[in-house]
Amino acid sequence: IFWILWIVMMALIGHYFIKIHLYDDAVDPRKETKEVWARYIGIMGIQFMTMFLFCTTRIRLWNDCFMISMEHLVAYHRFFGVLFILAGYIHLVLWISFLNDSGEYENYLPFATVPWTYHADNFTPIVMYYVMIIMVPIVYVMGTFYLIRRKYFELFYYTHLFGGLIMIGAILWHASQAWRYIIPPLSLYTLDRMIRLANSSRICKINKLSISVDGSENDNRIEISKLSFSVGSYNMRYGESIFKNINYKMGQYVFINISNISLYQWHPFTIS
């Protein structure tokens, strides 16, 4: 169902922007084929960005609507992210080719010349050029390699977020109508982060910690720790924290931060 709805949405958006949104030859015959397709691919890139931003939330929207778990969303996030980057580079190449082929831009130099005569505020392509040729290869290509993700996860995670701020800001600046597609997933992500912030602020009292499998005693160095804990919340009536066991379902797990070890690392524990 998800893929059917997504393909139908992409087809309808493509029909609208190519045939209706001022790109019809009968409406505006001045627009050349390369310009039409450059704009269309750019719009598709924004749609892909919307989808991978939706996949960053951990709330139950996707699970309730499409039966997609949070763990599977990572694969969808990666899939739409790759499509977004590919669309961005195709959009870049088509736009440079269009400006070079146009008689008005014979002396046009990519990455250096601003096509002022095309549009009065069209200085943003210069910004996007350098975002695509410098930041994207470093942060979203090399920075997402398996080795980086596994051995330097904090580096991967925080550069991913910082690069996202730059990319979202640049696109909102570059594409004047992108806000209507990007704000909904960003609003959902903000709500998700607020819920996670509230949950992560609760006090966790360790009742018992033991090692059931010692990694030094097996060849694979596998170590299993058992942690018994209860979660506390402040009670305004009694003026103190009240601890109780959390409610959970089979197969769920929790992320726990041990601040004495690290303030930034959260480790998953299976609930049983």
Side-chain angles (χ1 to χ4, degrees), residues 14-29 31-32 35-41 43 95 118:
H15 174 75
Y16 168 75
F17 277 101
I18 290 181
K19 293 298 183 181
I20 300 176
H21 193 70
L22 301 180
Y23 293 163
D24 191 355
D25 292 340
V27 178
D28 192 352
K31 286 186 169 57
E32 298 181 7
E35 180 183 3
V36 172
W37 282 101
R39 289 178 172 273
Y40 170 67
I41 296 298
I43 292 166
W95 200 253
Y118 178 79

